Amino acid sequence: MLTAESFDLVYTGIGALCWLPSIERWAETVAALLKPGGRLFIREGHPVLWATDEDISDSLHIVYPYFERDEPLVFDDDTTYVDTDQRVTATTTHEWNHGMGEIVTALLRHGMEITGLVEHQSVPWEALPGQMVCGEDGEWRLDREPWRMPLSYTLQAVKR
């Protein structure tokens, strides 16, 4: 059991929020765990990226929901993001997208003050195979017109 108001920092890393069916419940939990003055730091894939079909390699196609929905997206895939030739045996996943406004509003509703929000044109993996190049910094960017869409974001907030 995690003790309420016992943490100075909560970090949410890339690819965590898509497994959560309710961004509201997540924000409530974050705020409950942080001490007053405690900080939240998120580095996450952008909801526009999560709405894009990664299997279409000739152009960008928004095909999945941008906004949170009650029903999950259900995928059946035996590959993994881990660099391996092995195939996974539990192949069904359930995922949810959460729009930027939904994330920010949920945090504000639970007493968090947004202190920073930056959208980035890069992400630390080849999120859209065949459409990206890896920079010297290890971050992947769209190979054509990278200004067309955000790929990730960082958000910082403090509990008041």
Side-chain angles (χ1 to χ4, degrees), residues 71-127:
E71 294 301 315
L73 294 169
V74 180
F75 297 100
D76 187 20
D77 186 359
D78 66 352
T79 62
T80 176
Y81 56 82
V82 176
D83 188 18
T84 181
D85 292 332
Q86 298 295 315
R87 297 294 184 184
V88 296
T89 56
T91 61
T92 303
T93 62
H94 296 83
E95 301 175 28
W96 293 263
N97 201 2
H98 313 284
M100 289 299 297
E102 294 168 329
I103 295 164
V104 168
T105 300
L107 290 168
L108 293 171
R109 189 178 354 247
H110 291 285
M112 301 296 295
E113 177 184 325
I114 308 300
T115 59
L117 176 59
V118 179
E119 296 172 296
H120 307 283
Q121 294 180 19
S122 66
V123 72
W125 80 98
E126 190 178 10

